Amino acid sequence: MPEILRPRQRDHVVRTVVADDLVLFDADTNRAFTLNPQAAAVWALCDGTRTADDLAIALAERFEGPPDEIARDVAALVDRLRQQGLLDIDEVAA
Amino acid sequence: MTGPHDLLVGFADTSVAVGLGPGPVRSAAEAMFRHLGPAGPHSELVVRFAVEEREEGYVIVRPASFGRRHGFPAEASDVREALRLLKAHVLQAFVDRHPDRLWLHAGAASKGDRAVLVAGAWGSGKSTLVAGLCAGGWRYLSDDVVPLRLPEPAQPGVALADPFPLGLAARESAGGPVAPAAVSALPKRHVILPEDAIAAAPVRVAAVVLPRYDAGCEAAEAARVSPGEATLALLRSLFDFDVHGAEAVRLLGGLLAEVPAYLLRYSDGAAGAALAARLLDEAAESGGGAAASLADVGDVERVDEWLGVMHEAAGPHPRPAPVEPEEEPANARAEWAPWAWPIEGRRLTVGMATYDDYDGVYFTLQALRLYHPEVADEVEFVVVDNHPDGPCGEALRRLCGPHTRCRYVPNRSWNSTASRDLLFREARTPFVLCLDSHVLLAPGALRRLIDHFEADPETHDLLQGPLVNDDGSLSSHFEPEWSGGMWGVWGTDARAGDPDGVPFDIPMQGLGLFACRRSAWVGFNPRFWGFGGEEGYLHEKVRQHGGRTLCAPWLRWVHRFERPFGVRYRLAWEDRIHNYLLGFRELGLEEAPVRAHFAKVLGEEPAAQAWAAAEGALAHPLNYFDAIYVLPGSRDDTADLPAPLMPLRHRLRSLPSASPAAEAGVRRLLDLRSALVEAERHALESVAVLDPTVPLGPPEALARQLGGAGEHAPVLAFPAAAGVGGDGASAQAAEPAGVGVHRRALSQLVADLPSSVVAAERWVEEHGSFGCYLTRNALRLGFSARVVRPWPCDEQAR
C-alpha cells in the first residue's frame, strides 16, 4: 500500500518574520535558518494536510516558472528542511 | 580586591581590574584598553584578573568560578598570547555582567547620530573599513566588539551601539582575507586616535555592512543583502548567542527589518570606506529572491571561538619582538590606514616578484627611490616574495614598510612566471610597472611613464622599453623567431635610439620590464608552470584584447643576466615546452613550429617525450581548473604522488598546514579553507583542492564527472577510488578525494568552513565529515544530487 507524505512544521521551531524573509530558530539545537519569500511560502503551507505535490501546485499558482522546475525545487527544499529537523513528515496510508 | 597599581578597564558603570607588573604586557595592555578607562568612582567592580609572569611564560590568575564557567586557557607562552588571553577574559567578564546587551564580534563607526555596524568573519576586513571610515572623519566605536541594546518593544528596529573602543589595530596588507598560514606575516599596526575621534555615547545603528575583501573587484561595490540573510550574519557574529537564543533572533530580525544591510566587496580599503559612507545616505532597492533557498547559521560565535581565532592569528611562525609599546606618532593621522599609508595621489605601482634575491630587490628599490625623486609622491612598491620562508624573507620584510612605501606580499603556494599576476591583484594604483627584481631604470623614465598613461587613461597597450646592454647597445624588441629553445631573438629598431622618440609597435620583447593599466591587464594563464614561454604569449594576448605592444624609447632599463651563485628555482625544458603549448593553444597559434624547433634543439626523441608530457597535462580532466591545491598530507606531498596525478605534478600547489598540530580531520578542514582563501586572493575562476590521504578515482571517472555541464558546476566533489576502506569495491570513502570549486561558490564555502581549531572542532561535531556537509548543503551550494549522493551522512554526527 503506497504511503503519502505530508510535511508538517515542527512545534519547537520559532518563527520570526524579517521583512519579506522568514527566520526560523530551532530551540532544540540552537540553530537559525533563513528562508527567502519563496521558501517561506513553502514552509507556510507545510501544515500536515498537504502532500509535496499539493505544495508544488499551490506554489506554481503563486510564482512564475515552469511547473516541473517548481515541483523539483519544492521537493528538494522540503527534503532539506526535514534533514535540518524543521519539518516532520507524516506518513498517511493512501 | 583591587591592587594599588591595577589597570582598571571600564564599561557602562562597571569595571574589571587587571593586576599587572611592570613590563611589556602592562604597556601593551594599557595601549589596548587606553580608551576603555575606569567607569568612575562608584562603578561596580565585576572581577579582578592578574597576569603573572612565570618562568615558562605567563598565567592569567582568575576566580575559580570564572575558569569553571568558561573553558579559556589560562597559560600563555609569550607576551602576545598573554595579551590575547587577557583581552578575551576582560571581554567575557563584561559579556557576563551585561546580559541586557547583545555582544557582537563586529566593528562600528558613527557620523552624527547614526552608526554603521560592520560585521563579518575574522579576516574579512572589519578593521580596514572602520579605519577607513574614521580616516574620513567618522567617530570610532570599535573595530572588534560591539555591545548592542535593543530597547524594544517600545521602539522596534532601534538598536543602540555602545562604544567599546579597544585600541584600533588594522592589518598591514592589501591581502584581505589571507590564509591563516600567511597571517603572521602581516603585522597589525596600531592606529592612534585623538580622544575627540572616539564616540562617547551610544549611537543608533542605521546600516549594517558585511565586508568582503575581493581582489577581483575594481575598487568597491555593494549589494543589498536580504534582511533574513543579514539576520543570520549578525547571529553568526554573536558572542552570547547561547544566552539569548530565540530572543536574539527576534531582536536582530526586528532590527534588520528596518535597517538596510549590504554586502560590500572591495579591493581598496579607502574606496570601500567611501562607499560604506555613501550607503548610509541611500535607500537601495531591495533585491528579489531567487529560487527557493535556505541558509543556516551553523556556527554561532562565542568568546572561546574568538579566542581560538586569535590563537591562530599568532600563526605557525612565531615572530620575535611581538608586542611593542606603541609610540605616538607626531601626526597621528599620518600613520593612518590599514594599508599602512594612504593611497591618495599615488598613480603607479612598481611591482617585483622575487625568489631568494634580496640584493636584487634592494638595489632595484633603492635606485628607484634615489634616482627618481620627482615621482616619490606618485609611486608605491609591491614585492611579491615567492619564498617567504627562505633565507631572504625576514630581510625583505624589514626592507618593506611605510619607510620605503613598499608592501611585502608573501606567496607560499605557487612559484611560477604566472605568480606575477599577484602584483596586479595587489596593486591599488591605476598603473602598474612590473620589473624583474634585478632591473635598473634610466633617470626620468618613471616620470615619463606616468605622464604617458595619464595622457591616455583608457589605453589597453602594453608598454615596454629598450634593454640597454652592458656594452651600451640597445635591444628594443624580440623578433618572432625560434632560436635556442626560445621564441624571440633580440632585435634593434633604430627608432629606439632617440630617447625622446615616440613609442612604436614591436612584435614582442623580454619581460624584465612591462607596464600597463591595472584594469587592462590581460593576465598570464594560471596553468603556466615553472618559467619560460611567456614572451610572445603576453604580447599576442594583449593584441587579441585590442591593445598595442609598444616600445617607448625613453623607458630604458638594464638587466642583470649573470647569476654566479646559481638560480634558486627550477628551470627546465619540460616546463618551457608545456608553457609554449598551453599558451599557443589558448591563443589559437600554430603549434607545428614549436614542435619542430624543439625537435631540432633537443633531438627528436627527448622533444617527443616532453611534448607528450605536456599533452598529457593539458588533456587531464583536472587541467580545467585554474589551480590545483594539494592539502598537506601525512606523507611527503610529491614523493609519493598517485599515478592519476602524475601528468599534473608540476601544476600542484601546496601551502604549509595552518595548524600542523591539530587532529587530522580538523587540520584538513582548516587547510582546505586556507587553499580556498588563497584561490580567492589570486582571483581564480576555479580551483581544485585534493586530499592526498584519499586516493583519487581514475581519470576516466573524473572526466565523466567533469564532462558537459559538470565542470561549470559551482561545487564538485571528486569521487575516491573504489574499494577504499578495504571492504572491496562497494566500500565508500567517508570523504571525497577532493573538491572543485567555481568562483561563484568560493566565498560561500570560505564563509561556511571554520577558520580556527576551536571552530573546526565544533564544525565537525555539527556536520560530521566534509562529505556530509556537502550532502546537507547541496541545495545552497548549487550541487546536483548526482554529484553528492556518494557521501552518506552519519546521523550520529549531529
Side-chain angles (χ1 to χ4, degrees), chain B residues 174 212-220 265-269 272 339 425-428 518:
Chain B
R212 185 157 297 157
Y213 174 81
D214 181 348
C217 183
E218 184 67 11
R265 293 181 183 278
Y266 69 92
S267 60
D268 179 295
W339 320 108
R425 312 285 174 211
E426 292 286 347
R428 51 195 184 130
R518 185 182 56 159

Side-chain angles (χ1 to χ4, degrees), chain B residues 557 717 733:
Chain B
W557 50 292

